[in-house]
Amino acid sequence: MLVAARELLAVRSPLDAELMVSDMIGAWWGRRLRGGDVEQVLGEGLVDYAAKAGTPAALTLLIAMAYLGTARQGAKSEGAALALMESGVARPSWAERVGAVKQTGCFVSRDAYGDQDTVVCTFAYRTEHLEGAPRPRRASPIEDRHALVLVVDYNMRGMARDSWVSSQVDKLLEQARAEAEASEMLRFEEVDPDQARALLESAMKATRDPADRRTPPPVSDSYGAYHAFARARLKALPPGRKRPAPLHSEAPYSRDRRAMLAAEFLASDAAEHLSDPSAASRCADHIIDYGCDQDFSRPLRVSPTKCETFLLTWLPRKVMLSPAEQEAMPHVLAAWVRFAGARMGLPEAGLRATLDSVWEATARFSDAYRDPTTFGLDRALVERLLPDGDLSALARRVFAFPLLEGTHGGVELDRLNPADDADRRVLLELDHAGEVDRPDYEEHLAWHEEIAARLWEGDPPEMWEAAQRLLDLGHDRHDVLHVLIEIAERIGDHPDELAGALDDIADIPDEPPF
């Protein structure tokens, strides 16, 4: 990277320099290191290496990283750059203009479905601080002005999924306006800069902290290259009052408000053809909960992508449906689209496209939805493990409580409820019937109760992720539980530290601490 930084010596524009370094440090964006933070190991390591090199190329890199890096990288880079300049290392002509920008307007292009926002923030470089210093060639207006573009996807928890920079600001804005004027499915408008900042900071945080941290976030190939640039540019926008994301989100729905909305739907003309009112009511509850909990309190928002994601992705892994509900769900969803589309003023073209998507997904729903009872599991047993209907919890709860059927030690396991604290204790005692003579039996069993409760709730999610990694390596269930206990006991009541320690588990040590 230090060799590549030599190209910065020939750059005349601060924008080009910033984009080059953003691309450079984007090489490790989204990467994860076992036992270390990638920004510390690679980012701060690069700063330290450049500081020791002390070359003009190293100085240019440090100047750019002082603006583009994380807070720690920026502080270290600034100190190292000042030291090199004091020692006589020449700085580039663009050095004083790095990051010296002002915002000139923020805009958003959004589709009528509310699936995504394309946010455009425009900037220009300040020039007043150059007085008294040798003036570089005056950049032309088209070089001075530039636009940062980020695409926010609300079907993916509002994460930023794409980003790029354009120096063709006027052309970009004119094209966005023209597309909105030509289509009833698009809208383009100017937004307050503080509103844009709050939205984009929330979106970038959602990208940085995905729901499933075992897989890289689903972003474009270019997102990492522009990430550092975008993060730095947002600081040029006024913070102002924090607003929820997205820009058009609603206030949170209470239980009563959700129930009222479901009642309005079931009494509407859109739902009059539904033949099983009981199943339709439960399906409507799931649809509303999904919109409230997964889509920024927007249960009435409908789109082809949202409906397909709900039917083929979220339901199959999150909700246990009865056979009647499985049969009714696609029909209830189609009725909901008609009801919600009319309420939200969705254009007719959008309504037809969404209904078409629902019926296309219906043919795949039976294959996508895996009823646990088809795996040979008794429905009564599944209901004991999933009183909240959360299908995603099934595997970790079976891992926490493997003794749930038959008779063990004279106890009829079918009568015990793992969601009840007293019954949970009995189940764990039976699971440790051979360890009653150990001197720390009560304390040890209490820790098993702690781990079992955390696995039941999925709190933190890193605990079950760590357990799965160790099970995949062939380790015994009880050994895995003991490793989880050792970490929980050592870390104590520090949620972030516990999540980090669990995240770092790669294997069980040769001499496990139990």
Side-chain angles (χ1 to χ4, degrees):
M1 288 187 173
L2 199 55
V3 171
R6 294 173 184 171
E7 296 183 20
L8 293 169
L9 298 172
V11 169
R12 306 185 71 172
S13 161
L15 177 62
D16 290 341
E18 291 168 19
L19 291 175
M20 287 174 63
V21 175
S22 180
D23 186 20
M24 188 182 299
I25 64 180
W28 63 73
W29 179 84
R31 306 284 183 174
R32 305 184 67 195
L33 294 180
R34 188 70 63 188
D37 177 70
V38 68
E39 293 291 356
Q40 181 178 353
V41 174
L42 292 181
E44 295 178 33
L46 176 59
V47 173
D48 292 338
Y49 186 81
K52 292 177 182 178
T55 62
L59 176 58
T60 61
L61 181 60
L62 291 170
I63 290 172
M65 285 196 69
Y67 171 66
L68 295 168
T70 63
R72 284 173 56 92
Q73 293 166 8
K76 295 184 71 171
S77 296
E78 184 175 6
L82 289 172
L84 291 183
M85 287 188 287
E86 289 175 0
S87 68
V89 179
R91 60 181 176 177
S93 60
W94 45 261
E96 288 193 20
R97 302 183 69 200
V98 169
V101 296
K102 58 182 178 181
Q103 64 84 18
T104 57
C106 295
F107 309 83
V108 62
S109 176
R110 68 169 58 100
D111 62 79
Y113 296 121
D115 279 338
Q116 70 177 31
D117 288 340
T118 300
V119 184
V120 181
C121 298
T122 63
F123 302 90
Y125 281 91
R126 301 178 186 273
T127 57
E128 58 269 16
H129 70 286
L130 292 176
E131 293 182 5
R135 285 183 178 271
R137 177 182 63 85
R138 180 73 171 94
S140 66
I142 202 169
E143 291 174 323
D144 265 345
R145 294 182 64 206
H146 53 280
L148 169 67
V149 185
L150 282 101
V151 178
V152 182
D153 190 334
Y154 296 113
N155 292 307
M156 295 296 295
R157 297 173 53 251
M159 67 167 52
R161 296 192 64 180
D162 199 2
S163 179
W164 67 92
V165 173
S166 173
S167 60
Q168 305 291 322
V169 177
D170 292 335
K171 182 178 180 181
L172 178 68
L173 296 178
E174 289 172 6
Q175 181 177 352
R177 290 191 185 97
E179 289 177 350
E181 291 173 358
S183 172
E184 63 176 350
M185 297 300 294
L186 288 174
R187 293 190 291 272
F188 182 77
E189 60 190 16
E190 187 169 6
V191 295
D192 293 336
D194 61 337
Q195 198 173 22
R197 175 172 175 171
L199 167 62
L200 294 179
E201 286 182 338
S202 173
M204 293 182 73
K205 183 179 185 299
T207 306
R208 185 178 70 247
D209 302 321
D212 184 0
R213 296 200 290 176
R214 290 176 291 173
T215 59
V219 298
S220 68
D221 293 339
S222 64
Y223 182 82
Y226 291 103
H227 175 265
F229 182 89
R231 178 182 59 198
R233 275 298 188 269
L234 292 188
K235 296 175 183 177
L237 301 177
R241 181 171 62 87
K242 291 294 183 182
R243 291 171 170 82
L247 299 176
H248 34 63
S249 61
E250 299 182 29
Y253 274 65
S254 65
R255 273 288 146 204
D256 288 344
R257 189 180 177 195
R258 297 185 192 196
M260 186 178 299
L261 181 59
E264 291 177 14
F265 162 65
L266 294 170
S268 69
D269 292 342
E272 65 179 358
H273 68 285
L274 300 175
S275 58
D276 187 339
S278 177
S281 177
R282 292 191 295 271
C283 290
D285 289 341
H286 294 315
I287 295 170
I288 293 170
D289 286 344
Y290 177 75
C292 291
D293 301 334
Q294 305 296 319
D295 191 25
F296 303 95
S297 297
R298 298 186 297 174
L300 290 170
R301 186 182 80 82
V302 292
S303 77
T305 302
K306 180 180 177 180
C307 290
E308 184 174 312
T309 301
F310 168 76
L311 202 59
L312 302 182
T313 302
W314 189 77
L315 273 177
R317 67 178 178 83
K318 289 296 292 183
V319 179
M320 185 176 69
L321 299 173
S322 69
E325 292 164 4
Q326 294 174 46
E327 177 68 26
M329 180 58 79
H331 304 282
V332 177
L333 181 58
W336 180 265
V337 168
R338 297 187 183 93
F339 169 76
R343 289 276 294 264
M344 296 301 289
L346 185 66
E348 184 64 27
L351 181 63
R352 288 197 304 270
T354 305
L355 287 172
D356 288 345
S357 177
V358 170
W359 296 128
E360 289 173 8
T362 297
R364 293 176 283 159
F365 176 60
S366 58
D367 292 331
Y369 186 84
R370 296 297 185 181
D371 188 334
T373 59
T374 64
F375 300 146
L377 296 175
D378 179 71
R379 177 161 288 275
L381 172 62
V382 173
E383 290 175 348
R384 286 162 64 204
L385 286 166
L386 305 178
D388 53 2
D390 184 359
L391 267 179
S392 65
L394 183 61
R396 68 172 188 267
R397 291 177 182 175
V398 169
F399 172 75
F401 299 101
L403 301 176
L404 290 171
E405 293 184 291
T407 302
H408 192 86
V411 177
E412 294 185 27
L413 301 177
D414 303 76
R415 295 180 177 273
L416 298 178
N417 178 13
D420 178 79
D421 289 341
D423 287 357
R424 182 177 291 177
R425 171 78 180 196
V426 174
L427 288 168
L428 292 174
E429 287 175 346
L430 294 173
D431 195 25
H432 291 78
E435 301 182 48
V436 292
D437 294 331
R438 60 183 294 168
D440 63 341
Y441 174 74
E442 290 297 329
E443 180 183 0
H444 186 67
L445 200 62
W447 274 110
H448 272 282
E449 285 187 272
E450 168 77 13
I451 297 303
R454 287 186 174 277
L455 288 169
W456 183 273
E457 297 296 336
D459 179 28
E462 290 82 3
M463 182 166 285
W464 176 231
E465 293 170 5
Q468 290 178 92
R469 290 197 301 273
L470 297 178
L471 291 170
D472 289 342
L473 292 172
H475 293 296
D476 177 78
R477 168 183 170 271
H478 223 64
D479 289 347
V480 173
L481 286 170
H482 285 172
V483 170
L484 300 180
I485 288 173
E486 187 277 329
I487 292 175
E489 187 175 8
R490 171 166 52 86
I491 299 298
D493 190 21
H494 299 283
D496 292 339
E497 293 183 22
L498 176 61
L502 292 167
D503 214 24
D504 288 339
I505 297 177
D507 202 348
I508 292 179
D510 293 334
E511 296 183 4
F514 47 80

